[in-house]
Structures are given as C-alpha cells and as structure tokens.
Amino acid sequence: MNDDAQILIAQLLTHQTLAREHKLVKRALSDEQFRADIDSRLLACGLKLLDNVYADNVTLALSRQVEPKIFGAREVWQNNNFGLARDGVALLVVLWALIVLPKRERQEAHQAAAEDQEDMFGKEKPLPRAEEASLGISYRALLADFGDKLGKKTRMDMNLGQLAKLGFIERRGDMIVEGPLLDLMMDTDVLRDRIVNGALADIFHRPPPKEAAILTFPQPE
C-alpha cells in the first residue's frame, strides 16, 4: 500500500482543499505513477482529484459517472450539493465571472495584477499564481450592480456569508476576493462562452449572439 496516497486523500477529505505547494500535492501533479494510484482509489469511491494550473489549490469532486445518481436522486435535478438556493448559485456565477475570468486573462498573458498591461515581455515570464493575478471586486460595487437582481442587501449578505464559509470567496474589508474553491468548482472551458456571450453578456458589454447561450447544468440521460 502506498501510504502517501492514503494520507493525501485523507487530508483532502478532512481539509477540503490543499495548496499546490503542499509536498504530496506537488508529487501528485508531477509523478504519473503516484497520480494513477490516487485516481484509481478515488474513482472506486466515485470521486476525482480536481486541479487546474490557474488555481492555487486542489480539491476533490464527484466523478462524472456518479453525478446523475447524486444530483438526480430527487424529483428535481440538483444544481449543487452545498445547500445553496437559486439566488446563491446566481451570485456564485456572477462572482466567478467578475473575479476568475479577468484573472484567467491576466494569467494567460503571464501578467500579475500589479503589472503594466503594456509589458511587452510578459509572455516570457512564468504563469503567475492566482493570488498574484486575482484582483477581487468591491462589495459596494457588487451591491450597486446586482443588489436588486439578487435579493437586495440582506439576502446578498446572507449568500456572501455562505459562499465565504464554503470557501468560494474571502472577505477583506470592502473587497471580495477569490477563495480556494472559486476557480476549481466551476468548469471554465464549458461555461466561459455561455456566460460571457450569453447569460452575462451585459456585464461584459458584449452583444449576445443571435442564438444566445443559456447557462444550464448537466441533466441525467
């Protein structure tokens, strides 16, 4: 038995997230045999290791094969298993679009948040960590722009508190910044175009296409 694999999985189950700099996480991301052992053990339990190069942390998630049995177990397909109401999910998507997508653009340009956007040598620099590229958003600006749409101040404050408790965001004074789960639990490759060009096109000041994309969650077959 590989005790390191056992310990890493147990730590992820206990702490929910671990930093990419964690010794065993670094090994899982670089050692193919070690990663295969972890993936095999997790798959047997209906789980998978979730990571991407743009996030500073890793976590566990349900494997695709078991999602229908979990989210489709009730009469209505669940859109999350965090206990978030619909307006809480909507707020989560808005925060992801306003915080993660701009951060991803800076990371893809190899540009930290404090750097000059006209830095002609940016592409030669290493990919900046999420903490270095993420700016966050002002609570007052969020409330002014979305308060009426997402339940006004009382409801928004309650949902922000729940999202912070779950690890999606962190509150630093007036600023709302990326938490360890925000860039892990949302499928950027699937949702980016649907959100930027569809559901939240007005936020990004882009006209929606003729057939606007609709934000949907996977349905069981």
Side-chain angles (χ1 to χ4, degrees):
M1 177 181 290
N2 188 331
D3 290 337
D4 284 348
Q6 182 185 63
I7 291 170
L8 176 57
I9 292 172
Q11 287 181 329
L12 283 166
L13 288 170
T14 302
H15 301 297
Q16 188 180 51
T17 63
L18 291 174
R20 292 177 69 89
E21 297 302 313
H22 184 285
K23 180 180 178 180
L24 293 180
V25 173
K26 291 176 70 174
R27 183 180 172 191
L29 297 177
S30 60
D31 185 331
E32 292 185 7
Q33 186 174 356
F34 184 55
R35 176 63 180 267
D37 185 18
I38 292 169
D39 288 343
S40 176
R41 296 188 190 201
L42 290 173
L43 185 60
C45 302
L47 298 171
K48 63 182 178 182
L49 181 64
L50 201 59
D51 77 277
N52 68 63
V53 297
Y54 301 100
D56 289 344
N57 301 273
V58 301
T59 190
L60 298 180
L62 293 175
S63 65
R64 288 293 185 185
Q65 296 93 318
V66 304
E67 280 185 2
K69 297 179 182 179
I70 304 302
F71 292 107
R74 301 177 182 176
E75 293 182 2
V76 178
W77 181 268
Q78 300 177 78
N79 58 27
N80 74 92
N81 62 339
F82 291 104
L84 292 171
R86 291 182 64 183
D87 57 353
V89 174
L91 177 59
L92 174 59
V93 173
V94 168
L95 289 169
W96 175 81
L98 294 176
I99 296 174
V100 170
L101 291 185
K103 180 204 71 172
R104 286 280 187 105
E105 291 181 357
R106 285 188 288 271
Q107 287 177 305
E108 289 170 358
H110 292 249
Q111 176 189 344
E115 290 180 357
D116 187 346
Q117 294 187 8
E118 301 300 324
D119 183 0
M120 62 184 296
F121 300 105
K123 290 285 187 179
E124 299 177 5
K125 299 176 181 178
L127 185 75
R129 297 173 59 245
E131 186 177 0
E132 299 169 339
S134 189
L135 287 174
I137 182 174
S138 163
Y139 165 76
R140 286 175 291 182
L142 182 71
L143 182 62
D145 291 340
F146 296 98
D148 290 341
K149 300 178 181 66
L150 296 175
K152 300 188 182 299
K153 186 179 186 302
T154 299
R155 186 68 184 175
M156 180 176 285
D157 285 348
M158 185 183 73
N159 283 324
L160 285 172
Q162 189 173 7
L163 292 176
K165 184 177 180 180
L166 291 170
F168 286 106
I169 61 169
E170 295 179 4
R171 301 291 298 271
R172 298 177 184 173
D174 179 63
M175 295 301 295
I176 301 169
V177 299
E178 177 182 343
L181 287 181
L182 190 61
D183 199 6
L184 286 172
M185 301 303 288
M186 308 284 282
D187 193 334
T188 300
D189 293 335
V190 172
L191 295 179
R192 187 200 300 252
D193 288 341
R194 296 183 185 181
I195 290 175
V196 174
N197 296 319
L200 299 180
D202 56 327
I203 295 176
F204 295 95
H205 307 292
R206 303 178 187 179
K210 292 182 180 179
E211 296 182 0
I214 299 174
L215 178 61
T216 59
F217 292 90
Q219 297 293 322
E221 297 181 356

PDB file of all heavy atoms in Angstrom, residues 99-135:
ATOM      1  N   ILE A  99     -14.489  37.774 -11.109  1.00  0.00           N
ATOM      2  CA  ILE A  99     -13.187  37.609 -10.461  1.00  0.00           C
ATOM      3  C   ILE A  99     -12.283  36.643 -11.232  1.00  0.00           C
ATOM      4  O   ILE A  99     -11.129  36.961 -11.529  1.00  0.00           O
ATOM      5  CB  ILE A  99     -13.359  37.111  -9.006  1.00  0.00           C
ATOM      6  CG1 ILE A  99     -14.094  38.161  -8.166  1.00  0.00           C
ATOM      7  CG2 ILE A  99     -12.000  36.797  -8.385  1.00  0.00           C
ATOM      8  CD1 ILE A  99     -14.436  37.699  -6.753  1.00  0.00           C
ATOM      9  N   VAL A 100     -12.794  35.477 -11.573  1.00  0.00           N
ATOM     10  CA  VAL A 100     -11.954  34.438 -12.162  1.00  0.00           C
ATOM     11  C   VAL A 100     -11.634  34.698 -13.628  1.00  0.00           C
ATOM     12  O   VAL A 100     -10.491  34.548 -14.058  1.00  0.00           O
ATOM     13  CB  VAL A 100     -12.605  33.050 -11.992  1.00  0.00           C
ATOM     14  CG1 VAL A 100     -11.858  31.998 -12.814  1.00  0.00           C
ATOM     15  CG2 VAL A 100     -12.616  32.654 -10.523  1.00  0.00           C
ATOM     16  N   LEU A 101     -12.627  35.095 -14.415  1.00  0.00           N
ATOM     17  CA  LEU A 101     -12.367  35.285 -15.846  1.00  0.00           C
ATOM     18  C   LEU A 101     -11.316  36.371 -16.113  1.00  0.00           C
ATOM     19  O   LEU A 101     -10.395  36.146 -16.901  1.00  0.00           O
ATOM     20  CB  LEU A 101     -13.663  35.578 -16.592  1.00  0.00           C
ATOM     21  CG  LEU A 101     -14.650  34.404 -16.679  1.00  0.00           C
ATOM     22  CD1 LEU A 101     -15.844  34.778 -17.544  1.00  0.00           C
ATOM     23  CD2 LEU A 101     -13.991  33.145 -17.204  1.00  0.00           C
ATOM     24  N   PRO A 102     -11.400  37.554 -15.470  1.00  0.00           N
ATOM     25  CA  PRO A 102     -10.321  38.537 -15.664  1.00  0.00           C
ATOM     26  C   PRO A 102      -8.969  38.026 -15.160  1.00  0.00           C
ATOM     27  O   PRO A 102      -7.931  38.309 -15.754  1.00  0.00           O
ATOM     28  CB  PRO A 102     -10.792  39.747 -14.850  1.00  0.00           C
ATOM     29  CG  PRO A 102     -12.274  39.591 -14.765  1.00  0.00           C
ATOM     30  CD  PRO A 102     -12.506  38.115 -14.676  1.00  0.00           C
ATOM     31  N   LYS A 103      -8.993  37.254 -14.060  1.00  0.00           N
ATOM     32  CA  LYS A 103      -7.748  36.689 -13.552  1.00  0.00           C
ATOM     33  C   LYS A 103      -7.144  35.731 -14.563  1.00  0.00           C
ATOM     34  O   LYS A 103      -5.939  35.740 -14.823  1.00  0.00           O
ATOM     35  CB  LYS A 103      -8.006  35.949 -12.239  1.00  0.00           C
ATOM     36  CG  LYS A 103      -6.753  35.329 -11.630  1.00  0.00           C
ATOM     37  CD  LYS A 103      -7.070  34.162 -10.713  1.00  0.00           C
ATOM     38  CE  LYS A 103      -7.537  32.946 -11.498  1.00  0.00           C
ATOM     39  NZ  LYS A 103      -7.668  31.736 -10.663  1.00  0.00           N
ATOM     40  N   ARG A 104      -7.988  34.898 -15.169  1.00  0.00           N
ATOM     41  CA  ARG A 104      -7.508  33.942 -16.176  1.00  0.00           C
ATOM     42  C   ARG A 104      -6.857  34.674 -17.353  1.00  0.00           C
ATOM     43  O   ARG A 104      -5.841  34.245 -17.893  1.00  0.00           O
ATOM     44  CB  ARG A 104      -8.662  33.089 -16.692  1.00  0.00           C
ATOM     45  CG  ARG A 104      -9.160  32.023 -15.733  1.00  0.00           C
ATOM     46  CD  ARG A 104      -8.272  30.791 -15.757  1.00  0.00           C
ATOM     47  NE  ARG A 104      -8.816  29.706 -14.971  1.00  0.00           N
ATOM     48  CZ  ARG A 104      -9.395  28.623 -15.484  1.00  0.00           C
ATOM     49  NH1 ARG A 104      -9.510  28.499 -16.796  1.00  0.00           N
ATOM     50  NH2 ARG A 104      -9.847  27.671 -14.691  1.00  0.00           N
ATOM     51  N   GLU A 105      -7.461  35.783 -17.763  1.00  0.00           N
ATOM     52  CA  GLU A 105      -6.898  36.542 -18.882  1.00  0.00           C
ATOM     53  C   GLU A 105      -5.513  37.085 -18.528  1.00  0.00           C
ATOM     54  O   GLU A 105      -4.598  37.063 -19.352  1.00  0.00           O
ATOM     55  CB  GLU A 105      -7.838  37.685 -19.268  1.00  0.00           C
ATOM     56  CG  GLU A 105      -9.144  37.216 -19.903  1.00  0.00           C
ATOM     57  CD  GLU A 105     -10.041  38.368 -20.297  1.00  0.00           C
ATOM     58  OE1 GLU A 105      -9.674  39.528 -20.024  1.00  0.00           O
ATOM     59  OE2 GLU A 105     -11.108  38.104 -20.874  1.00  0.00           O
ATOM     60  N   ARG A 106      -5.361  37.569 -17.283  1.00  0.00           N
ATOM     61  CA  ARG A 106      -4.050  38.061 -16.858  1.00  0.00           C
ATOM     62  C   ARG A 106      -3.041  36.917 -16.780  1.00  0.00           C
ATOM     63  O   ARG A 106      -1.877  37.071 -17.160  1.00  0.00           O
ATOM     64  CB  ARG A 106      -4.172  38.776 -15.510  1.00  0.00           C
ATOM     65  CG  ARG A 106      -4.807  40.153 -15.602  1.00  0.00           C
ATOM     66  CD  ARG A 106      -4.719  40.891 -14.281  1.00  0.00           C
ATOM     67  NE  ARG A 106      -5.621  40.335 -13.299  1.00  0.00           N
ATOM     68  CZ  ARG A 106      -6.887  40.728 -13.138  1.00  0.00           C
ATOM     69  NH1 ARG A 106      -7.388  41.675 -13.914  1.00  0.00           N
ATOM     70  NH2 ARG A 106      -7.641  40.175 -12.222  1.00  0.00           N
ATOM     71  N   GLN A 107      -3.485  35.760 -16.277  1.00  0.00           N
ATOM     72  CA  GLN A 107      -2.568  34.633 -16.180  1.00  0.00           C
ATOM     73  C   GLN A 107      -2.140  34.148 -17.562  1.00  0.00           C
ATOM     74  O   GLN A 107      -0.974  33.816 -17.773  1.00  0.00           O
ATOM     75  CB  GLN A 107      -3.230  33.492 -15.398  1.00  0.00           C
ATOM     76  CG  GLN A 107      -3.334  33.766 -13.901  1.00  0.00           C
ATOM     77  CD  GLN A 107      -4.060  32.661 -13.176  1.00  0.00           C
ATOM     78  OE1 GLN A 107      -5.188  32.318 -13.522  1.00  0.00           O
ATOM     79  NE2 GLN A 107      -3.416  32.079 -12.177  1.00  0.00           N
ATOM     80  N   GLU A 108      -3.077  34.087 -18.491  1.00  0.00           N
ATOM     81  CA  GLU A 108      -2.746  33.643 -19.841  1.00  0.00           C
ATOM     82  C   GLU A 108      -1.789  34.619 -20.526  1.00  0.00           C
ATOM     83  O   GLU A 108      -1.031  34.231 -21.416  1.00  0.00           O
ATOM     84  CB  GLU A 108      -4.024  33.468 -20.657  1.00  0.00           C
ATOM     85  CG  GLU A 108      -4.851  32.257 -20.213  1.00  0.00           C
ATOM     86  CD  GLU A 108      -6.219  32.213 -20.841  1.00  0.00           C
ATOM     87  OE1 GLU A 108      -6.551  33.159 -21.612  1.00  0.00           O
ATOM     88  OE2 GLU A 108      -6.967  31.249 -20.585  1.00  0.00           O
ATOM     89  N   ALA A 109      -1.831  35.888 -20.109  1.00  0.00           N
ATOM     90  CA  ALA A 109      -0.895  36.887 -20.622  1.00  0.00           C
ATOM     91  C   ALA A 109       0.377  36.944 -19.790  1.00  0.00           C
ATOM     92  O   ALA A 109       1.237  37.792 -20.025  1.00  0.00           O
ATOM     93  CB  ALA A 109      -1.566  38.268 -20.652  1.00  0.00           C
ATOM     94  N   HIS A 110       0.471  36.047 -18.779  1.00  0.00           N
ATOM     95  CA  HIS A 110       1.633  35.993 -17.879  1.00  0.00           C
ATOM     96  C   HIS A 110       1.847  37.351 -17.207  1.00  0.00           C
ATOM     97  O   HIS A 110       2.956  37.860 -17.113  1.00  0.00           O
ATOM     98  CB  HIS A 110       2.894  35.567 -18.629  1.00  0.00           C
ATOM     99  CG  HIS A 110       2.841  34.151 -19.096  1.00  0.00           C
ATOM    100  ND1 HIS A 110       3.639  33.163 -18.575  1.00  0.00           N
ATOM    101  CD2 HIS A 110       2.061  33.542 -20.024  1.00  0.00           C
ATOM    102  CE1 HIS A 110       3.354  32.005 -19.161  1.00  0.00           C
ATOM    103  NE2 HIS A 110       2.395  32.209 -20.048  1.00  0.00           N
ATOM    104  N   GLN A 111       0.744  37.906 -16.712  1.00  0.00           N
ATOM    105  CA  GLN A 111       0.775  39.242 -16.131  1.00  0.00           C
ATOM    106  C   GLN A 111       0.170  39.223 -14.728  1.00  0.00           C
ATOM    107  O   GLN A 111      -0.963  38.779 -14.537  1.00  0.00           O
ATOM    108  CB  GLN A 111      -0.025  40.201 -17.020  1.00  0.00           C
ATOM    109  CG  GLN A 111      -0.143  41.596 -16.454  1.00  0.00           C
ATOM    110  CD  GLN A 111      -1.133  42.425 -17.257  1.00  0.00           C
ATOM    111  OE1 GLN A 111      -1.498  42.056 -18.372  1.00  0.00           O
ATOM    112  NE2 GLN A 111      -1.556  43.529 -16.702  1.00  0.00           N
ATOM    113  N   ALA A 112       0.909  39.698 -13.743  1.00  0.00           N
ATOM    114  CA  ALA A 112       0.387  39.825 -12.390  1.00  0.00           C
ATOM    115  C   ALA A 112      -0.532  41.032 -12.306  1.00  0.00           C
ATOM    116  O   ALA A 112      -0.488  41.934 -13.143  1.00  0.00           O
ATOM    117  CB  ALA A 112       1.531  39.948 -11.380  1.00  0.00           C
ATOM    118  N   ALA A 113      -1.380  41.064 -11.288  1.00  0.00           N
ATOM    119  CA  ALA A 113      -2.380  42.118 -11.175  1.00  0.00           C
ATOM    120  C   ALA A 113      -1.768  43.505 -11.078  1.00  0.00           C
ATOM    121  O   ALA A 113      -2.330  44.485 -11.558  1.00  0.00           O
ATOM    122  CB  ALA A 113      -3.260  41.856  -9.946  1.00  0.00           C
ATOM    123  N   ALA A 114      -0.584  43.612 -10.477  1.00  0.00           N
ATOM    124  CA  ALA A 114       0.032  44.928 -10.262  1.00  0.00           C
ATOM    125  C   ALA A 114       0.888  45.387 -11.430  1.00  0.00           C
ATOM    126  O   ALA A 114       1.429  46.488 -11.409  1.00  0.00           O
ATOM    127  CB  ALA A 114       0.873  44.893  -8.995  1.00  0.00           C
ATOM    128  N   GLU A 115       1.008  44.573 -12.474  1.00  0.00           N
ATOM    129  CA  GLU A 115       1.907  44.906 -13.572  1.00  0.00           C
ATOM    130  C   GLU A 115       1.242  45.773 -14.627  1.00  0.00           C
ATOM    131  O   GLU A 115       0.021  45.800 -14.767  1.00  0.00           O
ATOM    132  CB  GLU A 115       2.433  43.624 -14.231  1.00  0.00           C
ATOM    133  CG  GLU A 115       3.397  42.850 -13.366  1.00  0.00           C
ATOM    134  CD  GLU A 115       3.888  41.600 -14.069  1.00  0.00           C
ATOM    135  OE1 GLU A 115       3.433  41.333 -15.194  1.00  0.00           O
ATOM    136  OE2 GLU A 115       4.712  40.890 -13.480  1.00  0.00           O
ATOM    137  N   ASP A 116       2.073  46.454 -15.382  1.00  0.00           N
ATOM    138  CA  ASP A 116       1.619  47.263 -16.503  1.00  0.00           C
ATOM    139  C   ASP A 116       1.103  46.342 -17.598  1.00  0.00           C
ATOM    140  O   ASP A 116       1.769  45.410 -18.024  1.00  0.00           O
ATOM    141  CB  ASP A 116       2.787  48.098 -17.038  1.00  0.00           C
ATOM    142  CG  ASP A 116       2.359  49.094 -18.113  1.00  0.00           C
ATOM    143  OD1 ASP A 116       1.242  48.971 -18.632  1.00  0.00           O
ATOM    144  OD2 ASP A 116       3.174  49.983 -18.418  1.00  0.00           O
ATOM    145  N   GLN A 117      -0.095  46.619 -18.106  1.00  0.00           N
ATOM    146  CA  GLN A 117      -0.684  45.790 -19.143  1.00  0.00           C
ATOM    147  C   GLN A 117       0.088  45.864 -20.453  1.00  0.00           C
ATOM    148  O   GLN A 117      -0.108  45.040 -21.338  1.00  0.00           O
ATOM    149  CB  GLN A 117      -2.145  46.184 -19.375  1.00  0.00           C
ATOM    150  CG  GLN A 117      -3.025  45.896 -18.176  1.00  0.00           C
ATOM    151  CD  GLN A 117      -4.485  46.135 -18.482  1.00  0.00           C
ATOM    152  OE1 GLN A 117      -4.859  46.369 -19.640  1.00  0.00           O
ATOM    153  NE2 GLN A 117      -5.318  46.079 -17.474  1.00  0.00           N
ATOM    154  N   GLU A 118       0.927  46.859 -20.596  1.00  0.00           N
ATOM    155  CA  GLU A 118       1.674  47.015 -21.842  1.00  0.00           C
ATOM    156  C   GLU A 118       3.062  46.374 -21.765  1.00  0.00           C
ATOM    157  O   GLU A 118       3.915  46.628 -22.591  1.00  0.00           O
ATOM    158  CB  GLU A 118       1.836  48.511 -22.166  1.00  0.00           C
ATOM    159  CG  GLU A 118       0.507  49.251 -22.326  1.00  0.00           C
ATOM    160  CD  GLU A 118      -0.333  48.665 -23.435  1.00  0.00           C
ATOM    161  OE1 GLU A 118       0.232  48.241 -24.463  1.00  0.00           O
ATOM    162  OE2 GLU A 118      -1.568  48.616 -23.278  1.00  0.00           O
ATOM    163  N   ASP A 119       3.268  45.556 -20.734  1.00  0.00           N
ATOM    164  CA  ASP A 119       4.572  44.907 -20.575  1.00  0.00           C
ATOM    165  C   ASP A 119       4.824  43.965 -21.750  1.00  0.00           C
ATOM    166  O   ASP A 119       4.228  42.892 -21.854  1.00  0.00           O
ATOM    167  CB  ASP A 119       4.586  44.121 -19.257  1.00  0.00           C
ATOM    168  CG  ASP A 119       5.939  43.464 -18.987  1.00  0.00           C
ATOM    169  OD1 ASP A 119       6.842  43.625 -19.831  1.00  0.00           O
ATOM    170  OD2 ASP A 119       6.068  42.799 -17.953  1.00  0.00           O
ATOM    171  N   MET A 120       5.755  44.323 -22.636  1.00  0.00           N
ATOM    172  CA  MET A 120       5.978  43.563 -23.859  1.00  0.00           C
ATOM    173  C   MET A 120       6.713  42.243 -23.605  1.00  0.00           C
ATOM    174  O   MET A 120       6.770  41.374 -24.474  1.00  0.00           O
ATOM    175  CB  MET A 120       6.776  44.407 -24.859  1.00  0.00           C
ATOM    176  CG  MET A 120       8.166  44.810 -24.379  1.00  0.00           C
ATOM    177  SD  MET A 120       9.004  45.909 -25.554  1.00  0.00           S
ATOM    178  CE  MET A 120       9.176  44.828 -26.966  1.00  0.00           C
ATOM    179  N   PHE A 121       7.271  42.088 -22.404  1.00  0.00           N
ATOM    180  CA  PHE A 121       7.992  40.861 -22.106  1.00  0.00           C
ATOM    181  C   PHE A 121       7.171  39.920 -21.219  1.00  0.00           C
ATOM    182  O   PHE A 121       7.699  38.928 -20.714  1.00  0.00           O
ATOM    183  CB  PHE A 121       9.320  41.188 -21.416  1.00  0.00           C
ATOM    184  CG  PHE A 121      10.233  42.047 -22.243  1.00  0.00           C
ATOM    185  CD1 PHE A 121      10.398  43.391 -21.945  1.00  0.00           C
ATOM    186  CD2 PHE A 121      10.906  41.511 -23.335  1.00  0.00           C
ATOM    187  CE1 PHE A 121      11.234  44.186 -22.708  1.00  0.00           C
ATOM    188  CE2 PHE A 121      11.744  42.307 -24.101  1.00  0.00           C
ATOM    189  CZ  PHE A 121      11.907  43.643 -23.792  1.00  0.00           C
ATOM    190  N   GLY A 122       5.882  40.212 -21.044  1.00  0.00           N
ATOM    191  CA  GLY A 122       5.056  39.424 -20.140  1.00  0.00           C
ATOM    192  C   GLY A 122       4.994  37.954 -20.478  1.00  0.00           C
ATOM    193  O   GLY A 122       4.997  37.090 -19.609  1.00  0.00           O
ATOM    194  N   LYS A 123       4.950  37.620 -21.778  1.00  0.00           N
ATOM    195  CA  LYS A 123       4.811  36.231 -22.197  1.00  0.00           C
ATOM    196  C   LYS A 123       6.010  35.378 -21.813  1.00  0.00           C
ATOM    197  O   LYS A 123       5.926  34.160 -21.753  1.00  0.00           O
ATOM    198  CB  LYS A 123       4.615  36.166 -23.708  1.00  0.00           C
ATOM    199  CG  LYS A 123       3.270  36.681 -24.195  1.00  0.00           C
ATOM    200  CD  LYS A 123       2.166  35.680 -23.903  1.00  0.00           C
ATOM    201  CE  LYS A 123       0.852  36.126 -24.547  1.00  0.00           C
ATOM    202  NZ  LYS A 123      -0.225  35.159 -24.294  1.00  0.00           N
ATOM    203  N   GLU A 124       7.156  36.029 -21.560  1.00  0.00           N
ATOM    204  CA  GLU A 124       8.354  35.282 -21.215  1.00  0.00           C
ATOM    205  C   GLU A 124       8.413  34.949 -19.729  1.00  0.00           C
ATOM    206  O   GLU A 124       9.261  34.183 -19.291  1.00  0.00           O
ATOM    207  CB  GLU A 124       9.591  36.076 -21.621  1.00  0.00           C
ATOM    208  CG  GLU A 124       9.671  36.359 -23.126  1.00  0.00           C
ATOM    209  CD  GLU A 124      10.874  37.202 -23.471  1.00  0.00           C
ATOM    210  OE1 GLU A 124      11.681  37.480 -22.567  1.00  0.00           O
ATOM    211  OE2 GLU A 124      11.017  37.565 -24.648  1.00  0.00           O
ATOM    212  N   LYS A 125       7.519  35.516 -18.945  1.00  0.00           N
ATOM    213  CA  LYS A 125       7.501  35.281 -17.508  1.00  0.00           C
ATOM    214  C   LYS A 125       6.713  34.014 -17.193  1.00  0.00           C
ATOM    215  O   LYS A 125       5.860  33.588 -17.964  1.00  0.00           O
ATOM    216  CB  LYS A 125       6.863  36.470 -16.792  1.00  0.00           C
ATOM    217  CG  LYS A 125       7.612  37.784 -17.003  1.00  0.00           C
ATOM    218  CD  LYS A 125       6.862  38.924 -16.337  1.00  0.00           C
ATOM    219  CE  LYS A 125       7.579  40.256 -16.568  1.00  0.00           C
ATOM    220  NZ  LYS A 125       6.848  41.391 -15.967  1.00  0.00           N
ATOM    221  N   PRO A 126       6.975  33.379 -16.037  1.00  0.00           N
ATOM    222  CA  PRO A 126       6.195  32.191 -15.657  1.00  0.00           C
ATOM    223  C   PRO A 126       4.745  32.564 -15.373  1.00  0.00           C
ATOM    224  O   PRO A 126       4.422  33.720 -15.088  1.00  0.00           O
ATOM    225  CB  PRO A 126       6.907  31.705 -14.392  1.00  0.00           C
ATOM    226  CG  PRO A 126       7.599  32.907 -13.844  1.00  0.00           C
ATOM    227  CD  PRO A 126       8.015  33.710 -15.055  1.00  0.00           C
ATOM    228  N   LEU A 127       3.865  31.583 -15.472  1.00  0.00           N
ATOM    229  CA  LEU A 127       2.446  31.804 -15.195  1.00  0.00           C
ATOM    230  C   LEU A 127       2.276  32.282 -13.760  1.00  0.00           C
ATOM    231  O   LEU A 127       2.708  31.602 -12.825  1.00  0.00           O
ATOM    232  CB  LEU A 127       1.677  30.497 -15.395  1.00  0.00           C
ATOM    233  CG  LEU A 127       0.159  30.579 -15.264  1.00  0.00           C
ATOM    234  CD1 LEU A 127      -0.433  31.230 -16.516  1.00  0.00           C
ATOM    235  CD2 LEU A 127      -0.427  29.182 -15.081  1.00  0.00           C
ATOM    236  N   PRO A 128       1.693  33.467 -13.552  1.00  0.00           N
ATOM    237  CA  PRO A 128       1.532  33.960 -12.170  1.00  0.00           C
ATOM    238  C   PRO A 128       0.521  33.132 -11.395  1.00  0.00           C
ATOM    239  O   PRO A 128      -0.441  32.615 -11.959  1.00  0.00           O
ATOM    240  CB  PRO A 128       1.043  35.399 -12.366  1.00  0.00           C
ATOM    241  CG  PRO A 128       0.415  35.417 -13.717  1.00  0.00           C
ATOM    242  CD  PRO A 128       1.174  34.433 -14.540  1.00  0.00           C
ATOM    243  N   ARG A 129       0.744  32.999 -10.102  1.00  0.00           N
ATOM    244  CA  ARG A 129      -0.189  32.301  -9.236  1.00  0.00           C
ATOM    245  C   ARG A 129      -1.487  33.081  -9.148  1.00  0.00           C
ATOM    246  O   ARG A 129      -1.529  34.275  -9.417  1.00  0.00           O
ATOM    247  CB  ARG A 129       0.417  32.112  -7.846  1.00  0.00           C
ATOM    248  CG  ARG A 129       1.668  31.245  -7.835  1.00  0.00           C
ATOM    249  CD  ARG A 129       2.324  31.219  -6.468  1.00  0.00           C
ATOM    250  NE  ARG A 129       1.433  30.708  -5.437  1.00  0.00           N
ATOM    251  CZ  ARG A 129       0.970  31.406  -4.421  1.00  0.00           C
ATOM    252  NH1 ARG A 129       1.315  32.680  -4.278  1.00  0.00           N
ATOM    253  NH2 ARG A 129       0.168  30.858  -3.527  1.00  0.00           N
ATOM    254  N   ALA A 130      -2.560  32.384  -8.760  1.00  0.00           N
ATOM    255  CA  ALA A 130      -3.861  33.030  -8.658  1.00  0.00           C
ATOM    256  C   ALA A 130      -3.811  34.234  -7.723  1.00  0.00           C
ATOM    257  O   ALA A 130      -4.384  35.286  -7.999  1.00  0.00           O
ATOM    258  CB  ALA A 130      -4.902  32.022  -8.172  1.00  0.00           C
ATOM    259  N   GLU A 131      -3.107  34.078  -6.610  1.00  0.00           N
ATOM    260  CA  GLU A 131      -3.022  35.166  -5.631  1.00  0.00           C
ATOM    261  C   GLU A 131      -2.361  36.405  -6.218  1.00  0.00           C
ATOM    262  O   GLU A 131      -2.679  37.531  -5.835  1.00  0.00           O
ATOM    263  CB  GLU A 131      -2.245  34.685  -4.403  1.00  0.00           C
ATOM    264  CG  GLU A 131      -2.228  35.687  -3.263  1.00  0.00           C
ATOM    265  CD  GLU A 131      -1.526  35.153  -2.033  1.00  0.00           C
ATOM    266  OE1 GLU A 131      -1.061  33.996  -2.070  1.00  0.00           O
ATOM    267  OE2 GLU A 131      -1.439  35.877  -1.033  1.00  0.00           O
ATOM    268  N   GLU A 132      -1.448  36.198  -7.169  1.00  0.00           N
ATOM    269  CA  GLU A 132      -0.730  37.308  -7.781  1.00  0.00           C
ATOM    270  C   GLU A 132      -1.535  37.982  -8.892  1.00  0.00           C
ATOM    271  O   GLU A 132      -1.308  39.152  -9.196  1.00  0.00           O
ATOM    272  CB  GLU A 132       0.593  36.810  -8.361  1.00  0.00           C
ATOM    273  CG  GLU A 132       1.533  36.215  -7.320  1.00  0.00           C
ATOM    274  CD  GLU A 132       2.705  35.492  -7.951  1.00  0.00           C
ATOM    275  OE1 GLU A 132       2.597  35.096  -9.140  1.00  0.00           O
ATOM    276  OE2 GLU A 132       3.723  35.320  -7.272  1.00  0.00           O
ATOM    277  N   ALA A 133      -2.466  37.250  -9.500  1.00  0.00           N
ATOM    278  CA  ALA A 133      -3.194  37.778 -10.658  1.00  0.00           C
ATOM    279  C   ALA A 133      -4.630  38.161 -10.359  1.00  0.00           C
ATOM    280  O   ALA A 133      -5.280  38.824 -11.169  1.00  0.00           O
ATOM    281  CB  ALA A 133      -3.175  36.748 -11.790  1.00  0.00           C
ATOM    282  N   SER A 134      -5.158  37.760  -9.215  1.00  0.00           N
ATOM    283  CA  SER A 134      -6.566  37.988  -8.904  1.00  0.00           C
ATOM    284  C   SER A 134      -6.760  39.317  -8.175  1.00  0.00           C
ATOM    285  O   SER A 134      -6.044  39.618  -7.217  1.00  0.00           O
ATOM    286  CB  SER A 134      -7.092  36.845  -8.032  1.00  0.00           C
ATOM    287  OG  SER A 134      -8.482  36.925  -7.883  1.00  0.00           O
ATOM    288  N   LEU A 135      -7.730  40.103  -8.632  1.00  0.00           N
ATOM    289  CA  LEU A 135      -7.968  41.424  -8.055  1.00  0.00           C
ATOM    290  C   LEU A 135      -9.142  41.470  -7.080  1.00  0.00           C
ATOM    291  O   LEU A 135      -9.156  42.258  -6.156  1.00  0.00           O
ATOM    292  CB  LEU A 135      -8.225  42.442  -9.175  1.00  0.00           C
ATOM    293  CG  LEU A 135      -7.010  42.865 -10.003  1.00  0.00           C
ATOM    294  CD1 LEU A 135      -7.448  43.759 -11.153  1.00  0.00           C
ATOM    295  CD2 LEU A 135      -6.001  43.592  -9.130  1.00  0.00           C
TER     296      LEU A 135
END
